[in-house]
Amino acid sequence: MPSSPIVKISNLDKYFGRLHVLKNVSLEVPERQVVCLIGRSGSGKSTLLRCINFLEEPSRGSIEVDGVHVDAEGKGKQQRQLIHDVRLKTGMVFQEFNLFPHMSVLDNVIEGPVTVKGMDRRQAIELAEQNLDSVGMFFKKDEYPMRLSGGQKQRVAIARALTMEPRVMLFDEPTSALDPELIGEVLNVMKKVALEGMTMIVVTHEMGFAREVADRVVVMADGELIEDATPENLFKDPKDARTKALIDRYRSGEG
Amino acid sequence: MASITNEGQSPTSQAELLYQAQLRKERVFRTHVGISWGVLFLILIFLFSGQDIKIGDFTIVQTINIDTEFMLKNITFIAGGLGQTLLISVLSILFAIMMALLAALGRLSKFPPIYALSTFYVSLIRGTPLYLQIFFFFLALPQLGIVLSGIVSGVLALGLNYGAYMSETFRAGLSSVGKGQREAAMALGMTPGQTMRRIVLPQALRFAIPPMGNDFISMTKDSALVSATGFVHELMWRATKVGRSQFNSLEALIMAAVFYWTLTLILTYFQGKLEARLSKGDR
């Protein structure tokens, strides 16, 4: 019996003014799946990801995360509550890390559980320390973010998102702001999170990661999903010319 | 291998030497500035020392003679105003911070009436003299049946006035907090209120504290304007009172000036310390 999807994006449209950036996009992600969203910049992949937790408000269509259904055209207090519920079910990791600079690493990680969920501080610290340990950042728990390298910041950001115990993790180009030598440590942590069974949607340019870790790669161009395949099939036999161009460019960069 | 270590070492030590040379230069400069300050200070004291410098019977320089007996007799009376000066300054700055924060938030509002209210307030206050504002509260309001004491008028006027100017500092502080910070907070599920209190305000305040220190220092001096109401016995009021009544305004004002200046130097010292600590923190 196929399990019902944990994320269901239905007929999503997004306009920025008159610019149509998402064109009737639908996507279903079953639990524990790792999906990589790839495409050239401006293809709408980040916008799609950000619509899932309503950091961008979609213009039409609906989002469903773990049974919480939010219609793009909903309004008022009820809508705000639904968006809040969706945000509690999703953890997000940003390209620019966005750690809170005025808080220590540990305080960054417990901020969400304590302030948003009202979790007991001691319990939050315990959970935060476990997660910091699992991303290899426990030893920096009392440091401030400005003292960390980019890769370390991103690992803390992942721990911060995980400590909210989300059902789905959203990654918005998590390695694009990193020096090349720091990308590996972040990808390794993401791989670990994937192996622990987390559902993940990852916007990335890291084809190596997509090929190795993703269960499925979705290609976007001009605000549409143009291809949706397993990484093996996609890299071996891209159907769309635009996908082929994307993969060729990656291959030439690799060689 | 050997060449690598050499390369690794020599630029570091060279940079180190340059850095030390730079430090030494700065230290020498500061020492010389300090000595010059001392000389200027001595000249100032000499100017008021009441000496006649003569060659034979011919006076070439006559410095100002001040009545030290008057000064000694009245110093405690004038110093008694320090407390009031500080009290007015502290109360006014607290009120100003509140007003500045409200005005800055209003300025960032997307709701036109709130935005308008904030800019209207700032424009009105910045467009009129502080002296007028103090008198407005003290002299004009009683005509409408609202009688405020000198100190309340002073604190209201100073607070409103400084609040208007400080709102610009606060606004800059609030906009210095990047969009990504708000997004990260929202993604965690924080409400707009929580995002403001926990994430944006602490960062904005840290940015705004050094300029707020400067404002507080100016406030201690602008508080002298409150003496014009005649009912607040702070430094300036006391200095003008004893100075006028005994025709010793020169001495009285010199004493008040020394008190204000000393106060400013002390506050500037702490301000510098605070600034150094904040900049070490997270920038």
Side-chain angles (χ1 to χ4, degrees):
Chain A
M1 201 175 78
S3 63
S4 65
I6 190 159
V7 176
K8 188 172 167 187
I9 301 168
S10 313
N11 307 102
L12 212 66
D13 274 293
K14 171 72 184 170
Y15 293 87
F16 286 120
R18 287 167 64 189
L19 196 66
H20 199 179
V21 285
L22 293 179
K23 298 171 185 162
N24 196 29
V25 174
S26 297
L27 180 70
E28 294 189 358
V29 180
E31 204 168 349
R32 302 171 85 89
Q33 195 171 62
V34 177
V35 181
C36 279
L37 270 177
I38 65 172
R40 296 176 52 178
S41 49
S43 60
K45 56 192 192 305
S46 274
T47 308
L48 178 62
L49 189 81
R50 289 161 56 84
C51 278
I52 297 175
N53 66 353
F54 283 79
L55 287 186
E56 298 293 351
E57 298 215 0
S59 312
R60 269 198 305 274
S62 68
I63 302 281
E64 193 175 310
V65 180
D66 193 27
V68 179
H69 182 93
V70 195
D71 204 278
E73 280 149 299
K75 291 262 179 307
K77 205 172 163 209
Q78 198 191 354
Q79 179 79 348
R80 283 201 295 277
Q81 184 60 47
L82 287 173
I83 291 175
H84 182 75
D85 292 346
V86 165
R87 285 180 179 160
L88 285 183
K89 290 178 182 292
T90 51
M92 185 145 194
V93 175
F94 298 87
Q95 181 177 342
E96 300 291 341
F97 331 123
N98 296 343
L99 292 181
F100 305 132
H102 57 302
M103 296 180 184
S104 71
V105 162
L106 186 67
D107 285 337
N108 262 278
V109 180
I110 66 171
E111 179 62 26
V114 171
T115 302
V116 178
K117 286 185 169 175
M119 188 186 279
D120 172 62
R121 209 181 145 83
R122 281 222 321 272
Q123 199 188 340
I125 289 176
E126 203 174 303
L127 191 60
E129 288 183 344
Q130 274 171 24
N131 284 323
L132 280 171
D133 192 40
S134 100
V135 302
M137 288 302 297
F138 181 79
F139 74 118
K140 291 279 190 188
K141 74 183 169 84
D142 296 319
E143 282 290 4
Y144 280 81
M146 59 110 47
R147 296 199 165 252
L148 306 180
S149 73
Q152 291 176 328
K153 283 183 194 166
Q154 198 59 301
R155 280 146 63 195
V156 172
I158 293 171
R160 176 173 72 178
L162 288 174
T163 306
M164 286 299 281
E165 301 181 300
R167 301 298 311 275
V168 181
M169 284 285 284
L170 309 174
F171 293 86
D172 189 5
E173 303 201 25
T175 58
S176 297
L178 295 177
D179 291 334
E181 71 270 22
L182 302 177
I183 291 176
E185 62 186 75
V186 172
L187 292 180
N188 282 337
V189 166
M190 288 168 62
K191 206 157 110 183
K192 196 170 160 195
V193 175
L195 288 173
E196 281 162 11
M198 179 62 74
T199 310
M200 291 168 49
I201 305 177
V202 186
V203 170
T204 187
H205 295 285
E206 293 294 323
M207 299 292 181
F209 177 81
R211 192 148 68 170
E212 192 188 345
V213 183
D215 300 304
R216 179 178 168 199
V217 179
V218 174
V219 188
M220 284 191 75
D222 305 316
E224 291 173 305
L225 304 188
I226 57 169
E227 204 151 344
D228 183 347
T230 62
E232 301 89 76
N233 289 340
L234 189 89
F235 285 97
K236 207 164 47 192
D237 180 25
K239 299 277 187 289
D240 193 290
R242 289 170 290 184
T243 311
K244 196 168 177 310
L246 203 66
I247 290 170
D248 283 346
R249 216 169 38 150
Y250 154 64
R251 290 231 166 88
S252 67
E254 196 181 38
Chain B
M1 272 308 264
S3 74
I4 290 170
T5 36
N6 269 341
E7 268 175 20
Q9 253 169 12
S10 69
T12 339
S13 56
Q14 209 173 346
E16 183 66 22
L17 284 176
L18 277 172
Y19 178 65
Q20 276 170 4
Q22 185 78 29
L23 276 188
R24 205 171 318 121
K25 230 164 107 185
E26 274 172 28
R27 216 164 28 232
V28 168
F29 181 78
R30 272 204 304 274
T31 315
H32 287 183
V33 170
I35 293 167
S36 309
W37 261 65
V39 171
L40 287 171
F41 193 65
L42 287 176
I43 292 175
L44 189 63
I45 289 177
F46 174 71
L47 279 178
F48 291 93
S49 63
Q51 311 242 335
D52 291 344
I53 296 175
K54 297 178 177 181
I55 300 178
D57 280 342
F58 191 66
T59 305
I60 42 166
V61 179
Q62 190 174 27
T63 59
I64 303 159
N65 194 356
I66 51 175
D67 184 348
T68 44
E69 201 184 318
F70 167 87
M71 286 175 101
L72 285 173
K73 227 163 57 194
N74 289 293
I75 188 164
T76 45
F77 178 74
I78 295 183
L82 270 172
Q84 287 275 307
T85 290
L86 279 173
L87 178 72
I88 297 169
S89 304
V90 169
L91 290 177
S92 304
I93 202 83
L94 291 177
F95 183 41
I97 288 171
M98 226 172 64
M99 290 308 297
L101 189 57
L102 289 175
L105 288 172
R107 184 65 201 279
L108 294 172
S109 168
K110 296 214 167 64
F111 185 51
I114 298 285
Y115 181 94
L117 189 65
S118 158
T119 47
F120 192 82
Y121 155 62
V122 172
S123 172
L124 178 67
I125 295 291
R126 283 164 67 141
T128 49
L130 173 57
Y131 200 58
L132 184 150
Q133 290 158 13
I134 292 172
F135 275 116
F136 187 84
F137 282 104
F138 188 66
L139 296 178
L141 286 186
Q143 207 174 318
L144 307 173
I146 304 166
V147 180
L148 301 173
S149 70
I151 196 157
V152 172
S153 307
V155 167
L156 279 178
L158 280 169
L160 281 175
N161 186 280
Y162 271 69
Y165 285 94
M166 280 166 70
S167 70
E168 201 45 40
T169 312
F170 275 43
R171 193 183 63 82
L174 287 171
S175 6
S176 78
V177 181
K179 189 169 142 241
Q181 292 289 308
R182 282 167 235 254
E183 288 190 345
M186 271 154 59
L188 285 173
M190 289 196 197
T191 62
Q194 287 170 333
T195 304
M196 188 45 86
R197 273 198 311 281
R198 304 280 313 165
I199 307 302
V200 178
L201 272 188
Q203 294 184 58
L205 281 180
R206 193 165 297 204
F207 180 96
I209 279 175
M212 266 162 57
N214 288 333
D215 285 330
F216 181 66
I217 291 169
S218 334
M219 177 83 89
T220 56
K221 285 158 293 162
D222 279 348
S223 70
L225 290 172
V226 179
S227 69
T229 63
F231 284 92
V232 185
H233 302 173
E234 43 70 75
L235 272 179
M236 188 67 191
W237 181 87
R238 287 170 185 247
T240 44
K241 181 181 155 72
V242 292
R244 274 189 188 137
S245 64
Q246 300 172 44
F247 208 66
N248 275 113
S249 282
L250 176 64
E251 289 80 2
L253 289 178
I254 287 174
M255 281 193 282
V258 169
F259 282 127
Y260 279 118
W261 193 10
T262 312
L263 194 60
T264 303
L265 286 175
I266 294 170
L267 291 174
T268 308
Y269 171 79
F270 285 114
Q271 150 91 345
K273 289 235 149 185
L274 185 70
E275 214 162 309
R277 236 182 79 188
L278 285 177
S279 66
K280 225 185 288 174
D282 61 347
R283 251 164 252 281

